[in-house]
Amino acid sequence: NLHRAAVGRENRPLAQEHLGTMALVVRGSQRSAEALGSTLTMLGEMAPDVPRPFSGVMAAVKDRSLWATQLGAMVLSVLGAVAVALAGLGVFGVAHHAATQRQFEVAVHVAVGADPRTAGRAAVKKTLRAVAWGLAGGATLAAGLITVSRSLLYDVGSAPLVGVVLVGVGLLCVAAIATAWPARLAARSNPIQL
């Protein structure tokens, strides 16, 4: 009785989860439309009862299967751009405020005989030094996260590192612009009026 129960059974690991679909991929040297037409004709002659709900070239199949992933990547890219823009606004605000706080110091230096450009540059350097330290810390953390993501994700190249460098340079430029304007105003103004 035990022997009869084992007859007719087989181990099919891929069939343990029923997907209900089958894909046939044909590769040829003909153009896609010609190869598809001849393949469908041949399959129709071989098995006329087998339904073919979808048939198309590989590019269309790939696009159809990846649309959700591509939409998610596009949404994450937009959110990343918004985050970089908000970071730029934050750096601009902090750098501008720091430079505004130093306006009186720059004006006093100019009043006692310092060169206006030198006094303005000194204030800009102090603010940019603080921004550069913050960017260095952020870049170090980002490099660590990129290293971890390379070990966890497939096909993560050097593009994220290039993006981190470009964002850092962009934020440094934003800080320079935000700092230069108040320093220039302070170098031209009278310390009594500030």
Side-chain angles (χ1 to χ4, degrees), residues 59-91:
V61 173
K62 183 187 75 161
D63 289 343
R64 192 174 76 148
S65 66
L66 292 178
W67 74 269
T69 306
Q70 290 172 343
L71 179 65
M74 189 182 328
V75 168
L76 286 176
S77 297
V78 168
L79 289 176
V82 169
V84 168
L86 288 175
L89 282 174
V91 167

Side-chain angles (χ1 to χ4, degrees), residues 102-125:
R102 290 199 173 97
Q103 277 185 335
F104 183 74
E105 174 188 343
V106 171
V108 167
H109 280 44
V110 170
V112 295
D115 182 36
R117 289 185 182 184
T118 306
R121 271 192 229 121
V124 170
K125 283 181 184 177

Side-chain angles (χ1 to χ4, degrees), residues 8-194:
R9 294 186 181 221
E10 61 184 281
N11 183 16
R12 296 188 294 167
L14 294 177
Q16 290 176 1
E17 183 181 339
H18 180 69
L19 298 175
T21 61
M22 182 181 84
L24 175 65
V25 179
V26 178
R27 185 176 183 177
S29 59
Q30 297 177 346
R31 289 179 30 192
S32 301
E34 295 172 4
L36 181 64
S38 60
T39 304
L40 289 176
T41 303
M42 185 174 27
L43 285 175
E45 293 170 358
M46 290 172 45
D49 298 335
V50 175
R52 293 181 301 274
F54 176 76
S55 59
V57 295
M58 196 63 178
V61 173
K62 183 187 75 161
D63 289 343
R64 192 174 76 148
S65 66
L66 292 178
W67 74 269
T69 306
Q70 290 172 343
L71 179 65
M74 189 182 328
V75 168
L76 286 176
S77 297
V78 168
L79 289 176
V82 169
V84 168
L86 288 175
L89 282 174
V91 167
F92 184 88
V94 169
H96 185 75
H97 179 71
T100 304
Q101 294 295 318
R102 290 199 173 97
Q103 277 185 335
F104 183 74
E105 174 188 343
V106 171
V108 167
H109 280 44
V110 170
V112 295
D115 182 36
R117 289 185 182 184
T118 306
R121 271 192 229 121
V124 170
K125 283 181 184 177
K126 286 180 183 178
T127 304
L128 289 183
R129 189 177 302 129
V131 172
W133 276 107
L135 287 174
T140 303
L141 288 174
L145 287 174
I146 289 171
T147 304
V148 170
S149 68
R150 282 185 183 159
S151 66
L152 297 175
L153 300 174
Y154 173 73
D155 200 24
V156 176
S158 62
L161 191 57
V162 172
V164 168
V165 170
L166 289 176
V167 167
V169 168
L171 290 177
L172 198 59
C173 290
V174 166
I177 292 168
T179 307
W181 182 253
R184 176 180 275 182
L185 286 178
R188 292 180 180 175
S189 60
N190 186 351
I192 297 173
Q193 294 175 350
L194 293 175

